[in-house]
């Protein structure tokens, strides 16, 4: 009996996407554990994976992490939504109103060249040690990817699609809603994806500068107490947040920009 | 060969004032739909050069007439079509549509572009419905018509597929349906059958002739196929290499409805030969 080609295909994909990375991870963690114990390395320098796992489950079960996790998530999401909404709106304005471009764009580019991390201390002084300063920092970081990608996307419509619509007497507004907006969506999603990952960084940087709660604050605290395993446990939570948020954006992207095919069975060249 | 040789030239002779109610006179007395006078087009390229694409183009198109345009690649056929579609500005010259200066697209126009230009996020049916949506026409009845057109071009069953799931020739046929869906009285077609195999192409030629006969549309067809041009047209317009000029306008008075069998008649062959002679003389063979 021959295996169904589809089943074979799926098995192949499963091996590639899940089994291989999993095997690599196991090998890495095993090697790490052996390295720490084999060379008798102090847990203060490099904690073993088992110690990190313990700190991780302790932190979660004792409810130690949950408040800080909630604070950081709030900062990330609020900053992301505010920053990307502002980037989106300004992107539309600049792409569609030539005057707005001439007035605003030079300043926005100049603003972008300022490293956001460097203005974090100012934000903390202006907006205090609470969540507001972190939201502002996160928003300034999430802003630019949306702005740049929205502008690029709204300019990406192939000329022949516009000509086609205009030949059927489409108005400017119809050209905008029927093609330009659609053509901009893939770009906007790339912007959202970049912005959401940067937002996590923004919130943590803000908390490093000065905070009373949040995972960044917790990292500093654990570092101060030489609790390396705890620090690593929080790093894992942060990367899980990043992966999770990225996955949500990708999922929405696949739904909404469904016509952009993934590489699939296409030959991309050597 | 000698006696029928004069046939093609007869139609050029009678001026509009001829009172004799022959079918030929009726042809020339047709109401003028489009008057193209001294149209020029010069493109400015990005590196500051000027490309003279069209030179002193003059052509009157009668209402209900079928015109084919042939000419070597790059001679300005698409340029002329886009100018007539109102999506490209002419550099100089006059174009009057039913006596009025043409300065933009019209609802009475259906355009088939050289590339299919389908919107990838729309299904085949939704793509065909674009003109209806743009012009805010009544949806349900036109959707019926869209389905009929798709069936006519052999695409029933593909209504809900996306363009990427279709072959190039199928996409081109969707583009043809889109140009026809709002039942325009004036059709501009830029090599609409270029991506089709010979069999489908002949079938589509017959369909186009049928549509034209039944609905009396005015059609301007750009094609690379000289037999196709002759088979469908009342007049074949021959253009020169760039800058594109009209070198010859050949009235084709073969009886209608034309059949595929006519391709093999000597009369048909003479029209083809006369057009081909222009290509040979300009050194660009089709
Ligand atoms: N947007 C443009 N900018 C500059 N030059 C152009 C532009 N479009 C066309 N041209 C030039 O104008 C000339 C005529 O082009 P056009 O597309 O009308 O040719 P065509 O007769 O349709 O050719 P084909 O049979 O290959 O489709 C060409 O030489 C081309 O290089
Ligand atoms: Mg062309």
């Amino acid at each position: 009996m021959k295996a169904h080609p589809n089943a074979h295909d799926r098995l192949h994909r499963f091996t590639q996407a899940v089994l291989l990375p999993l095997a690599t991870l196991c090998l890495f963690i095993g090697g790490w554990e052996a390295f720490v114990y084999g060379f008798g390395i102090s847990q203060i320098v490099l904690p073993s994976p088992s110690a990190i796992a313990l700190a991780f489950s302790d932190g979660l079960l004792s409810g130690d992490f949950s408040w800080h996790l909630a604070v950081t998530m709030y900062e990330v999401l609020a900053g992301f939504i505010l920053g990307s909404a502002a980037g989106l709106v300004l992107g539309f304005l600049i792409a569609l109103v030539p005057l707005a471009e001439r007035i605003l764009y030079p300043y926005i580019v100049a603003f972008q060249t300022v490293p956001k991390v460097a203005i974090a201390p100012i934000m903390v002084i202006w907006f205090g040690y609470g969540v507001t300063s972190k939201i502002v920092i996160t928003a300034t970081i999430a802003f630019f990817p949306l702005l740049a990608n929205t502008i690029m996307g709204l300019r990406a419509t192939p000329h022949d699609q516009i000509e086609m619509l205009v030949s059927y007497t489409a108005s400017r507004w119809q050209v905008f809603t029927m093609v330009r907006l659609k053509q901009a969506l893939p770009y906007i999603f790339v912007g959202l994806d970049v912005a959401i990952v940067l937002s996590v960084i923004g919130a943590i940087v803000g908390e490093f500068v000065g905070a009373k709660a949040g995972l960044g604050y917790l990292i500093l605290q654990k570092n101060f107490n030489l609790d390396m395993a705890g620090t690593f446990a929080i790093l894992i939570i942060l990367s899980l947040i990043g992966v999770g948020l990225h996955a949500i954006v990708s999922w929405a992207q696949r739904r909404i920009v469904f016509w952009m095919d993934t590489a699939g069975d296409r030959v991309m060249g050597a | 060969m000698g006696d029928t040789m004069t046939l093609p030239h007869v139609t050029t002779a009678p001026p509009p004032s001829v009172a004799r109610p022959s079918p030929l006179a009726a042809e020339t007395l047709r109401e003028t739909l489009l008057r193209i006078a001294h149209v020029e087009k010069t493109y400015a390229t990005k590196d500051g050069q000027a490309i003279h694409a069209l030179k002193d183009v003059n052509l009157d198109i009668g209402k209900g007439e079928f015109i084919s345009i042939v000419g070597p690649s790059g001679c300005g056929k698409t340029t002329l079509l886009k100018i007539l579609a109102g999506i490209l500005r002419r550099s100089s010259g006059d174009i009057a549509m039913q006596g009025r200066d043409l300065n933009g697209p019209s609802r009475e126009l259906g355009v088939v572009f050289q590339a299919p230009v389908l919107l990838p996020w729309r299904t085949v049916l939704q793509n065909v419905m674009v003109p209806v949506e743009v012009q805010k026409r009544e949806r349900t009845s036109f959707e019926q018509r869209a389905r009929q057109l798709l069936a006519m071009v052999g695409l029933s069953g593909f209504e809900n597929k996306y363009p990427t799931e279709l072959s190039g020739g199928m996409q081109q046929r969707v583009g043809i349906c889109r140009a026809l869906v709002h039942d325009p009285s004036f059709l501009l077609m830029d090599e609409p059958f270029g991506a089709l195999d010979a069999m489908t192409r002949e079938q589509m030629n017959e369909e186009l002739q049928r549509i034209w006969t039944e609905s009396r549309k005015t059609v301007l067809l750009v094609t690379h196929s000289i037999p196709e041009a002759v088979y469908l047209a009342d007049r074949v317009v021959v253009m020169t290499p760039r800058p594109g000029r009209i070198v010859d306008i050949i009235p084709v008075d073969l009886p209608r409805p034309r059949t595929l069998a006519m391709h093999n008649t000597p009369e048909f062959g003479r029209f083809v030969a006369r057009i081909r002679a222009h290509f040979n003389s300009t050194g660009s063979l089709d």
Side-chain angles (χ1 to χ4, degrees), chain A residues 92-113:
Chain A
F92 275 102
L93 201 68
I94 287 174
L96 300 178
V97 185
L99 188 68
E101 173 174 13
R102 254 168 289 145
I103 294 173
L104 294 172
Y105 205 60
Y107 298 104
I108 288 168
V109 171
F111 171 66
Q112 174 55 16
T113 58

Side-chain angles (χ1 to χ4, degrees), chain B residues 250-268:
Chain B
I250 299 150
V252 181
D253 53 0
L254 296 168
R256 291 191 186 265
R258 298 187 184 150
T259 58
L260 290 176
M262 277 186 191
H263 276 96
N264 306 320
T265 62
E267 290 83 10
F268 195 95

Side-chain angles (χ1 to χ4, degrees), chain A residues 94-165:
Chain A
I94 287 174
L96 300 178
V97 185
L99 188 68
E101 173 174 13
R102 254 168 289 145
I103 294 173
L104 294 172
Y105 205 60
Y107 298 104
I108 288 168
V109 171
F111 171 66
Q112 174 55 16
T113 58
V114 176
K116 298 306 164 303
V117 178
I119 62 167
I122 304 174
M123 294 300 139
V124 171
I125 286 174
W126 284 355
F127 297 101
Y129 283 82
V131 291
T132 315
S133 57
K134 321 307 178 287
I135 292 174
V136 173
I137 293 165
T138 305
T140 56
I141 292 182
F143 168 78
F144 204 78
L146 261 295
L147 177 85
N149 281 282
T150 304
I151 294 173
M152 208 163 28
L154 285 172
R155 290 182 179 158
T157 303
H159 196 64
D160 55 357
Q161 291 185 356
I162 297 177
E163 278 186 340
M164 183 271 290
L165 277 186

Side-chain angles (χ1 to χ4, degrees), chain B residues 24 27 32 43 50 56 79 112 137 140-142 151 169 211 229 252 285:
Chain B
L24 295 179
E27 293 279 304
T32 305
Y43 285 107
D56 195 26
T79 302
V112 182
R137 291 173 191 252
T140 38
S141 62
F142 279 103
I211 290 171
V252 181
L285 226 144

Side-chain angles (χ1 to χ4, degrees), chain A residues 32-236:
Chain A
W32 183 351
E33 189 85 33
F35 176 74
V36 171
Y37 283 105
F39 290 88
I41 290 169
S42 159
Q43 293 285 338
I44 294 170
V45 177
L46 183 68
S48 67
S50 56
I52 294 170
L54 206 67
F56 186 78
S57 63
D58 271 1
L60 282 185
L61 293 176
S62 67
D64 207 18
F65 288 168
S66 49
W67 168 243
H68 298 285
L69 177 65
V71 169
T72 300
M73 281 305 280
Y74 174 64
E75 293 163 355
V76 168
L77 292 179
F80 167 74
I81 290 169
L82 287 177
S84 47
L88 208 60
V89 169
L90 243 95
F92 275 102
L93 201 68
I94 287 174
L96 300 178
V97 185
L99 188 68
E101 173 174 13
R102 254 168 289 145
I103 294 173
L104 294 172
Y105 205 60
Y107 298 104
I108 288 168
V109 171
F111 171 66
Q112 174 55 16
T113 58
V114 176
K116 298 306 164 303
V117 178
I119 62 167
I122 304 174
M123 294 300 139
V124 171
I125 286 174
W126 284 355
F127 297 101
Y129 283 82
V131 291
T132 315
S133 57
K134 321 307 178 287
I135 292 174
V136 173
I137 293 165
T138 305
T140 56
I141 292 182
F143 168 78
F144 204 78
L146 261 295
L147 177 85
N149 281 282
T150 304
I151 294 173
M152 208 163 28
L154 285 172
R155 290 182 179 158
T157 303
H159 196 64
D160 55 357
Q161 291 185 356
I162 297 177
E163 278 186 340
M164 183 271 290
L165 277 186
V166 171
S167 82
Y168 296 120
T169 69
S171 63
R172 261 167 186 278
W173 175 249
Q174 283 174 321
V175 169
F176 176 72
T177 55
M178 288 174 82
V179 300
R180 293 187 70 188
L181 210 53
K182 289 281 186 181
Q183 292 286 1
L185 279 175
Y187 291 80
I188 290 173
F189 268 103
V190 170
L192 286 174
D193 205 12
V194 173
I196 193 87
V197 174
L198 289 181
S199 292
V200 179
I201 299 174
I204 297 300
V205 165
E207 289 171 0
F208 277 178
V209 173
K212 289 179 284 199
L215 292 174
Y217 164 81
L218 203 57
I219 286 182
L220 288 188
Q221 210 183 43
K222 296 216 179 282
N223 236 13
F224 188 73
N225 294 330
L226 298 179
D227 179 4
M228 274 307 247
T231 306
F232 271 78
I234 296 167
L235 286 183
I236 292 174

Side-chain angles (χ1 to χ4, degrees), chain B residues 90-107:
Chain B
R90 54 189 184 266
S91 303
S92 64
D94 295 307
I95 301 176
M97 174 86 87
Q98 287 181 310
R100 280 198 205 147
D101 182 49
L102 179 130
N103 54 11
S106 138
R107 287 165 65 94

Side-chain angles (χ1 to χ4, degrees), chain B residues 116-167:
Chain B
V117 202
L118 303 181
L119 305 177
W121 51 85
R122 283 175 170 253
T123 63
V124 165
L125 185 65
Q126 289 168 340
N127 264 292
V128 174
M129 291 292 282
V130 161
V132 176
E133 252 173 75
V134 165
Q135 302 177 357
K136 301 193 175 70
R137 291 173 191 252
E138 200 261 315
R139 236 170 218 268
T140 38
S141 62
F142 279 103
E143 190 176 310
Q144 195 63 28
R145 186 177 156 81
R147 288 180 192 278
Q148 284 166 2
L149 285 168
L150 284 169
M152 180 194 84
V153 300
L155 286 177
S156 40
F158 289 89
E159 291 88 350
N160 298 320
K161 292 259 186 290
Y162 285 93
T164 46
E165 300 170 281
L166 306 185
S167 72

